């Protein structure tokens, strides 16, 4: 990937010399998302996951490694880690030695049986093309494994054991509970923690420098807050802002809010205020106004939940009451109900909760 | 009940496939052979072989045919409209589209009225065999149809006692469903060459969209087709028809049939608007079961509960005291089990009728709440069992809720159809509405203005 | 000779007038729709951003969302025009045919130019998955014929994405990635809450809030200026307020007003859609008397609305808004909870009438209880 990018840059410099063919090639290059561009290149680049890094580092020095199961919230570097490791282990042969399947691919039981099996049955040598030694196995990466059907997972179980001499599996998932027990017991599990604020901000400011983007530290902090520890989301958000603002522009907090669909706090405060007044007419007017801004209802509910949860003025009883309603409405609006009625319903519930205290 | 009495051979025919085909109606002039070799199947429902000849059910059915306009199931008004149309025929080609739900008596009415006005009815029946033309080429159905339309009336039937003829097309060849253009070509040809009036009988049930595809607005306008649409037979007219038919049946077929008032009531509660199926069912239900057999095995005939009776039992729950508490006369689960194959339909009926017997507002709210939940459950297609659960829940719920059903005579109605997909595009609806409003007004004013302007300039 | 010349002149005048007539036939909404990003009337900052976006080499998938009548479609068309030039204005209507795995044939209307294709996949109901996948595939596989100076991708514009089934949205996610080289999707939705997070994260979200009342009035004024009409400020404000910050509705209303009565008067009657009035009366009926027979009557009215293809969630919303006006606070809260519940069941099931009626019945029951109670107190 790295080499590929480099030639791309070189090509850009050389277009003038070779107008016909190379410019066309140039255009065929799909634009790289920043997430791909700034993936860690080596295992040591991986941010803040010490145990995994330790194991993989040992593996790099030639010791065999077990089947792996990475789990953790999205955007914590699960896929990046295994890809970086594979690149380090196999070097140029990286493409041949890896099979990556994610949830978007067809992944029924049939695919597991055929594709995975046929790939697993290929033998692998223990030297690289350039003569350096490398472990004699291939890696199959099953991304988003928790979306696989149970039948497919069971089919995998047998394959995993049978092909253990030539293949290592790496399952990646968000929820380890959705992987069937027989599979988890065949893998060594690693939990990926959400990234801390410093690490993310550090990474983001690095990218800003590379991409010639001006952003204050507090803007990056806002990006971090919006992404809740998900580095991928944070980088995507940054790129979206950059795209809209054009090159070399100054990024502001408002831009970030806009790009992340986060509802500004003033709306939430107003919502609570309106509800506290216990005036239905006001609440109705507020909801009407709010609807014209077109924020996502699920997002509002999520943020409202945070706000209510950490509120110091509400009693536990009130919180419980509001929380219950929020859950209900969140479910309904995911099902596709009209935002208006659900929001009114939430407002009513909050009013009721306030009534409790008075 | 001789053959000659059957005046029009194929009333109720399609269901029985018994075709006494030698009546004076000329089926198709060119390929008459295709029709006449239809099997003359005797009915095998009748169990007694000795009486075969006289027990012919088909013949029995013939006798039920209305002989007077007053015996028709369709309303007076419609009869008058048809009659007027028939009277207006003056030798030039003229076409009518007669539409209505199946079995409401379109064809019968037309034939009877045509006969009374002195017409011979020549009917097109789509042939099943392949006919060869003079060059030994297989003729396409469309060609033969065209042939019929243009030429059928050229030759007089030797049986005919009337001088005027009327073409009747009930069964439009399938080719035209695909090639709409060729259908209008045929119509074109007809209007150019033929001389006799033409009637299409189209049953517009929910699934078939003949009315929209073949007889679209444009075609109707282009060829000046007259359209008479007939509604489903009303309950009263059905009752009258059945009453008349039952006496005929008992008279003529008394040896195999036993038509009772009970049977008639049952039929009436089941069939809505479909006279043909009602009579057919009536005959089947009233068939006498030979005594010796019925006693041996089928003493308990499976109770067949009509949809409407089922609805009636649910919305009019009768309770009987049972010790300290009470129980229902009709067990909810039994009712549910009878309608398991069509929970959606039954629910629709319940919804259409539950309000008739509900006393208070609170009960009504509870009932509709139950119905709403049941409907949601039924819509969950991933679990087929839910349909049964929902049905049982709904029936029981309605019965328990309705403690004091309001009595009073309320006809059980069919729930209204509401199969439209959910419409959710507000913008489009709005645009449509305003556009129609604005355009209807502007068009008028703009037209007048521009014409005036041009005239002004010319002056 | 002269006479002949005059005749010719008349003829041309006639033709010209006729063309004028054709021009006048199009609604103001279409006629005065801005066609380039720089001509947009509001959210100008955003328009500038969009311009930046178009000029950059990589153009992402877009998800444009906003309330109805906020100008989403206008913006999308501006973006497409900015991408490809005026060629996109030559539009054709075509029907495309699709076949489901179960051999069911479907057809769907598309509006397309040489560079883009617009489809409303929710037209085909639950079979939208096939449509979405096939459509993007066919578009992606036909390359741009003439790529000099143009983009190497085509644009697929999907409207009403929030009404797509979950199934179709999942399919979309995969298709989006697979054909990124030759086609870009622009999705248009009323609200993002029904769009899968996976799709949201793959698109650049563009939020289009409704225009404010002053913005709407100024647009109405400028339209009237272009039409050569005189619009009183008071009426402009009233129309803007009555539209509920829906620009499309505001313009339609204004045009309807013009048709009704011109010259304008400040106090002139603003035509509301008839269903609005009808629903208001229905609500009045509900308050007037609560009995099963009344419920039966209201059911008839609801059927009427449904048969005229009024969206059922609109019926629900308006009915709710109207009903609530007659209640006290506690009742309002109860009604809101009831409405939310039945609306949900309505979405989940196929027969809207059941749930609309359930809401009506529940409201009537609650209202009746309340009236009985207060009557009892009064005694």
């Amino acid at each position: 990937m790295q080499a590929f990018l480099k030639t791309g840059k070189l090509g850009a410099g050389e277009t003038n010399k070779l107008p016909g063919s190379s410019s066309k090639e140039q255009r065929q290059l799909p634009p790289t998302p920043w997430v791909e561009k700034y993936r860690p290149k080596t295992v040591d680049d991986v941010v803040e996951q010490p145990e995994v890094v330790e194991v993989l580092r040992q593996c790099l020095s030639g010791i065999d490694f077990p089947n792996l199961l990475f789990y953790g919230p999205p955007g914590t570097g699960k896929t990046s880690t295994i890809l970086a490791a594979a690149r380090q282990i196999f070097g140029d042969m990286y493409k041949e030695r890896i099979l990556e399947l994610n949830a978007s691919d067809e992944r029924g039981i049939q695919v597991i049986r055929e594709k995975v099996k046929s790939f697993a049955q290929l033998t692998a040598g223990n030297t690289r093309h350039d003569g350096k030694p490398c472990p004699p196995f291939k890696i199959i990466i099953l991304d988003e494994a928790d979306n696989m059907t149970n039948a497919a997972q069971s089919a995998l179980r047998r394959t995993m054991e049978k092909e253990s001499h030539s293949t290592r599996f790496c399952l990646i998932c968000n929820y380890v509970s959705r992987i069937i027990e027989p599979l988890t017991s065949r893998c060594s599990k690693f939990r990926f923690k959400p990234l801390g604020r410093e690490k993310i901000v550090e990474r983001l400011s690095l990218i800003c420098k590379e991409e010639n983007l001006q952003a204050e530290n507090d803007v990056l902090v806002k990006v971090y807050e919006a992404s809740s520890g998900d580095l991928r989301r944070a980088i995507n958000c940054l790129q979206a802002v950059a795209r809209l603002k054009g090159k070399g522009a100054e990024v502001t907090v408002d831009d970030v809010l806009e790009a992340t669909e986060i509802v500004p706090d003033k709306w939430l405060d107003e919502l609570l205020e309106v509800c506290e007044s216990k005036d239905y007419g006001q609440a109705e007017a507020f909801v009407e106004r709010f609807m014209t801004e077109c924020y996502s209802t699920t997002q509002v509910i999520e943020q409202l939940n945070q706000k209510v949860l950490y509120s110091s003025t509400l009693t536990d009883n009130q919180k419980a009451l509001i929380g219950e309603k929020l859950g209900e409405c969140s479910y309904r609006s995911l099902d596709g109900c009209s935002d208006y009625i659900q929001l009114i319903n939430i407002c009513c519930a909050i009013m009721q909760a306030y009534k409790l205290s008075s | 009940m001789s053959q000659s009495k059957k005046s029009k051979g194929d009333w109720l025919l399609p269901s029985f496939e018994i075709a006494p085909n030698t009546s004076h109606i000329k089926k198709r002039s060119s390929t008459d052979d295709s029709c006449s070799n239809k099997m003359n199947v005797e009915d095998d429902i009748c169990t007694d072989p000795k009486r075969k000849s006289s027990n012919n059910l088909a013949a029995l059915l013939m006798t039920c045919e209305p002989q007077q306009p007053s015996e028709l199931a369709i309303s007076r008004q419609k009869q008058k409209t048809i009659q007027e149309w028939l009277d207006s025929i003056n030798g030039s080609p003229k076409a009518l589209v007669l539409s209505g739900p199946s079995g409401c008596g379109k064809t019968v009415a037309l034939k009877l009225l045509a006969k009374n006005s002195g017409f011979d009815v020549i009917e097109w029946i789509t042939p099943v065999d392949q006919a060869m033309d003079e060059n030994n080429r297989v003729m396409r159905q469309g060609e033969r149809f065209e042939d019929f339309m243009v030429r059928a009336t050229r030759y007089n039937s030797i049986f005919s006692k009337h001088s005027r003829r009327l073409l009747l097309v009930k069964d439009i060849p399938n080719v035209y469903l695909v090639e709409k253009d060729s259908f209008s070509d045929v119509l074109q040809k007809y209007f150019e060459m033929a001389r006799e009036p033409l009637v299409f009988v189209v049953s517009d049930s929910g699934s078939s969209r003949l009315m929209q595809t073949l007889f679209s607005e444009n075609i109707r306008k282009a060829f000046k087709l007259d359209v008479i649409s007939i509604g489903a037979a009303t309950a009263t007219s059905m009752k009258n028809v059945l009453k008349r038919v039952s006496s005929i049946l008992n008279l003529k077929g008394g040896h195999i049939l036993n038509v009772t008032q009970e049977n008639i009531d049952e039929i009436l509660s089941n069939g809505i608007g479909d006279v043909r199926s009602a009579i057919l069912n009536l005959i089947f239900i009233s068939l006498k079961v030979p005594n010796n057999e019925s006693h041996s095995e089928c003493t308990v005939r499976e109770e067949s509960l009509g949809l409407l009776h089922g609805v009636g039992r649910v919305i009019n729950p009768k309770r009987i005291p049972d010790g300290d508490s009470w129980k229902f006369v009709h067990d909810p689960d039994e009712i549910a089990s009878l309608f398991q194959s069509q929970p959606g339909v039954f629910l629709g009926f319940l919804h259409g009728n539950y309000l008739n017997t509900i006393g208070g507002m609170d009960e009504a709210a509870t009932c509709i709440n139950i119905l709403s939940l049941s409907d949601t459950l039924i819509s969950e297609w991933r679990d087929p069992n839910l349909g049964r659960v929902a049905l049982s829940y709904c029936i029981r719920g309605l019965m328990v809720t309705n403690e004091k059903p309001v009595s009073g005579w309320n006809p059980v109605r069919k729930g209204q159809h509401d199969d439209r997909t959910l419409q959710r595009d507000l913008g489009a609806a709005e645009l449509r509405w305003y556009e129609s409003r604005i355009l209807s007004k502007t068009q008028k004013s703009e037209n007048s203005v521009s014409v005036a302007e041009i005239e002004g300039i010319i002056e | 000779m002269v006479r002949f010349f005059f005749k010719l002149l008349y003829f041309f005048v006639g033709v010209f007038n006729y063309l004028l007539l054709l021009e006048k036939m199009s609604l103001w909404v279409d006629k005065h729709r801005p066609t380039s990003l720089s001509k947009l009337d509001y959210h100008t900052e955003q328009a500038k951003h969009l311009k930046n976006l178009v000029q950059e080499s990589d153009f992402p998938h877009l998800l444009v969302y906003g309330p109805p009548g906020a100008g989403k479609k206008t913006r999308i068309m501006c973006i497409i025009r900015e991408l490809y030039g005026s060629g996109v204005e030559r539009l054709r209507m075509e029907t495309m045919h699709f076949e489901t795995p179960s051999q069911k044939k479907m057809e769907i209307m598309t509006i397309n130019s040489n560079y883009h294709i617009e489809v409303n996949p929710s037209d085909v109901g639950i079979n939208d998955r096939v449509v979405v996948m096939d459509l993007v595939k066919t578009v992606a596989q036909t390359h741009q014929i003439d790529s000099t100076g143009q983009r190497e991708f085509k644009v697929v514009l999907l409207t009403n994405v929030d009404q797509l089934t979950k199934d179709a949205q999942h399919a979309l996610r995969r298709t989006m990635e697979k054909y990124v080289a030759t086609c870009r999707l622009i999705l248009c939705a009323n609200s993002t809450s029904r769009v899968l997070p996976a799709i949201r994260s793959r698109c650049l979200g563009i939020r289009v809030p409704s225009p404010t009342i002053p913005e709407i009035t100024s647009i109405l004024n400028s339209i009237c200026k272009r039409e050569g009409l005189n619009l009183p400020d008071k009426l402009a404000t009233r129309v803007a307020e009555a539209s509920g910050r829906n620009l499309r509705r505001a313009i339609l209303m204004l045009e309807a007003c013009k048709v009704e009565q011109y010259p304008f008067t400040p106090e002139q009657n603003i035509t509301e859609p008839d269903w609005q009035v009808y629903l208001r009366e229905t609500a009045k009926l509900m308050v007037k008397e609560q009995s099963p027979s009344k419920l039966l009557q209201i059911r008839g009215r609801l059927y009427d609305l449904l048969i005229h293809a009024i969206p059922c969630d609109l019926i629900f919303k308006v009915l709710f808004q109207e009903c609530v006006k007659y209640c006290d606070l506690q009742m309002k809260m109860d009604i809101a909870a009831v409405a939310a519940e039945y609306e949900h069941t309505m979405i989940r099931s196929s027969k809207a009438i059941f749930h609309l009626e359930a809401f009506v019945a529940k409201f009537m029951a609650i209202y009746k209880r309340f009236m009985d109670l207060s009557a009892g107190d009064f005694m």
Side-chain angles (χ1 to χ4, degrees), chain A residues 202-216:
Chain A
E202 189 189 312
R203 196 81 191 161
L204 289 179
S205 61
L206 183 86
I207 292 173
C208 285
K209 216 158 67 197
E210 288 271 320
E211 294 289 337
N212 190 18
L213 204 68
Q214 286 160 35
E216 295 291 320

Side-chain angles (χ1 to χ4, degrees), chain A residues 60 62 88-90 125-136:
Chain A
L60 288 182
Q88 267 183 299
I89 298 171
F90 299 120
N126 55 359
T127 47
R128 277 154 63 153
H129 288 320
D130 53 3
K132 283 188 202 158
C134 77

Side-chain angles (χ1 to χ4, degrees), chain B residues 140-173:
Chain B
R140 296 178 64 222
Q141 260 188 16
E143 288 169 12
R144 296 167 82 177
F145 182 64
E146 212 175 297
D147 195 38
F148 165 76
M149 296 267 281
V150 180
R151 299 217 308 235
T153 54
R154 297 265 166 96
Y155 313 102
N156 264 328
S157 164
I158 43 169
F159 298 109
S160 170
K161 46 182 182 281
H162 305 296
S163 55
R164 300 204 287 174
R165 276 155 309 213
L166 183 77
L167 297 190
L168 172 66
V169 178
K170 271 178 89 174
D171 189 6
I172 297 168

Side-chain angles (χ1 to χ4, degrees), chain B residues 2-45:
Chain B
S2 62
Q3 296 265 315
S4 62
K5 270 197 100 175
K6 296 163 235 155
S7 49
K8 281 158 294 274
D10 43 11
W11 193 60
L12 294 179
L13 253 187
S15 324
F16 275 97
E17 277 292 330
I18 306 162
N21 211 16
T22 48
S23 56
H24 66 263
I25 300 175
K26 199 162 133 257
K27 285 294 174 187
R28 266 186 94 247
S29 62
S30 56
T31 55
D32 228 347
D33 50 335
S34 68
C35 312
S36 56
N37 58 8
K38 267 196 176 176
M39 291 184 302
N40 211 336
V41 183
E42 295 296 322
D43 77 289
D44 39 16
I45 308 148

